[in-house]
Amino acid sequence: MLKTNHELSSRPAFPLHQRTCEVKVNDPVNSQYRYLVVSAPDELLDCEPGQFFHLLCEPEGDDQPFFRRPMSIYGFDRDRGELSFLYKVTGAGTRSLASLRAGDGLDVVGPLGVGFTLPEDMTHPLLVARGVGLATLAPLARAFRQRGVKTTAICSARSADLLMSVELFEALGVRVIPVTDADGNSGTGAIEALIERLVAEEKVDGLYTCGSKRLTTLLKRVSSSHGIFGEVALEQHMACGVGVCQACVLPFSRDGRTQDLRVCRDGPVFNLTEVL
Amino acid sequence: MADLRTRIGSLELQNPIMPASGTFGIEMADIFDFDLLGALVLKTVTPHMRAGNPVPRVCELPNGMLNSIGIPSKGGDYLVDRIIPQFSAFKPPLVVSISANSAEDFAKFASRISVAGVDAIEANISCPNIEDDGHAFAMSTTATHKVIAAMRKATDLPIWAKLSPNVGAPADIARAAEDAGADALVATNTMLGMAIDVKSGKFKLGNVMGGLSGPALKPISLRVTYQCVRAVSIPVIGCGGISTVDDVLEYLMAGAAAVQVGTASFIHPMAMPDLIRGLDERLDAEGWETVSRVNGMLAQRREAANVLEYA
């Protein structure tokens, strides 16, 4: 049966926390991406795939980020007391994060938002994402594999050296199908044909994606034409991150009408049928 | 333990820290205990449903932010039936912020929301998004008087008039609100501003103009708070850029009876409980026992009286 955050029976009185965590690792993965690991107390690690944390970005040089930056969870490990993120350095906020060194403190708020749904009767989920979008799907892949569910991931990137998380996914026992612009097999048509084949021949019965509008539109089409359950984790600029300010709203189709929903609180994960 | 109690007209608050409208909601009960706060101030509601403004609705600045959220509202019935009951479990006074398109609509709506569970009404006559070209009722003494006077006839609840920093003579507006029957003033709402992305040549806000808030606003709101305190005998609640205990003390020394904390909560959701604890410790450490003692600490200078001539 479907389980959502709202139905967790043992929800603590204060499920959200603001804590300063010690940075353990903040290393470049390739020319664009970095891997950040912080030590985290138990209450922060009571989280789910698809949820995110809101990270405080201190002023650094000419960069003066004011808002926190929402960052999806790349990994959470209760045994090791670790929380990890995979991010692309693109602007003032992520440049500030990139300057953190082991031993520095990082102020985080979370866990935030509604995570992915993992239907218990799903037998073959397909995860599709491009670039850093794979980071958001990594904890989902781990959760499916912990259940012993056959899982396939289509990883897309500009070139082979920018493919993210392939080793991690393979180590989890996920079958990875890499597609790149360089190889000419990452276009919408090629990916759609690939997904159609996986649905027909391998009985894919779940679709998950993150970030890319192009992939979301494609998966929504496959989801609706085959009646396959699917979800997308969306990204949006945020101010408060907790659902108060209404800055991060987008229009969705829900309850038979178009309405503005908050990506931070009502999402960031939405059913593909709701995405407009 | 310092005595943090403060009085806003007929309401006694356990401490002078409360949220600024639009930066607080039931969602934050997931992070801290609302019973710690001096009062609970809800996001502005309009009588009817409103969709809000196009995105992007916010943009960051080096020391603050601009917003043009546009008061998305589920309307008066939703407020009374759904939102107000959500707050009935909390002890601090509940302040409902309202906005409307005319004095008559403000009055009707004030009457509609004068229900059990509501302890005061904040009249948002200063939101720069709601009127054309950033205009707001609180930019005119006549419009301010008209709205507050109409509300005064429509409700027995305390009325707090939230004033604008986008005015040349805040003291005149403050007196107009007091004369019309306001029980307290809130100084101030956001300052109208704008930002352009020079790389794309586009406005940074979907609505072009928006309200400046955060630390960048503080000197302006602090000045207006001081001007209002000098002009009226009703309590003035300071609001604008408060994020540290020193900020709170500045407003209290300027004469504010209490303060509202807004944008700081977006960056630090624990800002308000942290400020309450910090203020308590600071008053103890300094040997200042009460909020009213801090109110009287500003060294009065001769020049201060002259400031009013520019107000």
Side-chain angles (χ1 to χ4, degrees), chain B residues 24-187:
Chain B
F24 177 76
I26 197 70
E27 297 84 357
M28 288 170 81
D30 283 351
I31 311 175
F32 67 85
D33 181 0
F34 287 179
D35 283 348
L36 296 169
L37 300 175
L40 311 175
V41 185
L42 302 187
K43 185 170 173 62
T44 299
V45 177
T46 54
H48 305 292
M49 293 259 287
R50 271 176 65 90
N53 285 333
V55 295
R57 290 175 166 186
V58 295
C59 81
E60 67 178 359
L61 304 167
N63 210 11
M65 62 177 281
L66 292 173
N67 91 79
S68 63
I69 303 288
I71 315 190
S73 168
K74 291 186 173 171
D77 290 342
Y78 191 88
L79 172 72
V80 171
D81 298 341
R82 303 285 296 278
I83 298 180
I84 291 169
Q86 284 181 332
F87 286 86
S88 62
F90 303 109
K91 292 183 211 119
L94 183 67
V95 184
V96 173
S97 170
I98 65 168
S99 186
N101 290 325
S102 67
E104 190 187 15
D105 287 350
F106 260 104
K108 270 193 214 154
F109 197 30
S111 169
R112 168 81 180 93
I113 61 152
S114 295
V115 297
V118 179
D119 298 290
I121 300 175
E122 185 174 278
N124 181 358
I125 53 175
S126 48
C127 185
N129 296 324
I130 226 165
E131 296 286 295
D132 288 346
D133 203 31
H135 198 261
F137 292 100
M139 290 181 184
S140 144
T141 51
T142 315
T144 296
H145 192 280
K146 206 172 158 192
V147 169
I148 302 299
M151 286 177 68
R152 182 70 291 160
K153 283 189 198 134
T155 182
D156 293 329
L157 286 173
I159 298 170
W160 300 0
K162 187 157 182 180
L163 303 187
S164 172
N166 304 302
V167 296
D172 292 348
I173 309 282
R175 278 189 288 263
E178 182 183 41
D179 290 347
D183 298 275
L185 306 178
V186 181

Side-chain angles (χ1 to χ4, degrees), chain A residues 140-159:
Chain A
L140 178 67
R142 186 176 286 110
F144 274 124
R145 290 301 300 148
Q146 278 169 354
R147 282 190 191 175
V149 175
K150 176 185 178 183
T151 305
T152 300
I154 298 176
C155 298
S156 170
R158 219 166 40 188
S159 57

Side-chain angles (χ1 to χ4, degrees), chain A residues 11-19 54 56 58-59 64-69 92-93 107 109 112 236-250 257 259-260 262 265, chain B residues 22-34 43 49 51-53 55-66 69 72 213-215 263 265-271 274:
Chain A
R11 201 161 185 263
F14 298 105
L16 302 184
H17 310 277
Q18 182 179 354
R19 295 280 186 275
H54 221 191
L56 188 68
E58 303 282 356
Q64 294 187 293
F66 183 71
F67 294 141
R68 285 173 183 264
R69 294 298 190 269
D107 184 316
V109 173
L112 293 160
Q236 175 73 316
H237 288 293
M238 296 176 185
C240 77
V242 299
V244 169
C245 77
Q246 306 275 343
C248 65
V249 297
L250 289 173
R257 63 190 174 90
Q259 51 181 310
D260 282 341
R262 301 160 297 179
R265 182 83 179 190
Chain B
T23 66
F24 177 76
I26 197 70
E27 297 84 357
M28 288 170 81
D30 283 351
I31 311 175
F32 67 85
D33 181 0
F34 287 179
K43 185 170 173 62
M49 293 259 287
N53 285 333
V55 295
R57 290 175 166 186
V58 295
C59 81
E60 67 178 359
L61 304 167
N63 210 11
M65 62 177 281
L66 292 173
I69 303 288
S213 65
T263 302
S265 295
F266 289 173
I267 313 302
H268 294 284
M270 293 295 290
D274 286 353

